Amino acid sequence: METHRVKEIIEAPTMINVSYKGIPVYIESLDDSSRTAVVFPLDEMDHLQEVDIDGLVEEGP
């Protein structure tokens, strides 16, 4: 996923469905310089992890 789209998703007023390796996640923050994002699985909100944004996939239309 491109950094500009990750920023749009973070700033969106409504929830946009995103997954990482097939797991639905919430994007908490973005690090432009390393192209990583801090995310957590929607079913495990206390499990923050840093992931490569290339692995993020926007779900739906």
Side-chain angles (χ1 to χ4, degrees), residues 48-60:
L48 291 174
Q49 56 189 341
E50 188 172 346
V51 300
D52 187 323
I53 64 169
D54 291 329
L56 295 173
V57 177
E58 187 172 350
E59 301 292 331

Side-chain angles (χ1 to χ4, degrees), residues 5-61:
R5 184 59 184 146
V6 174
K7 288 178 189 176
E8 290 173 351
I9 291 171
I10 290 170
E11 296 170 358
T14 59
M15 180 74 170
I16 295 173
N17 295 326
V18 176
S19 66
Y20 180 74
K21 294 188 178 180
I23 299 169
V25 296
Y26 177 82
I27 304 171
E28 185 168 277
S29 62
L30 169 68
D31 183 340
D32 282 331
S33 61
S34 65
R35 292 186 47 83
T36 60
V38 174
V39 304
F40 58 80
L42 294 181
D43 63 350
E44 238 184 299
M45 298 173 82
D46 60 342
H47 187 75
L48 291 174
Q49 56 189 341
E50 188 172 346
V51 300
D52 187 323
I53 64 169
D54 291 329
L56 295 173
V57 177
E58 187 172 350
E59 301 292 331

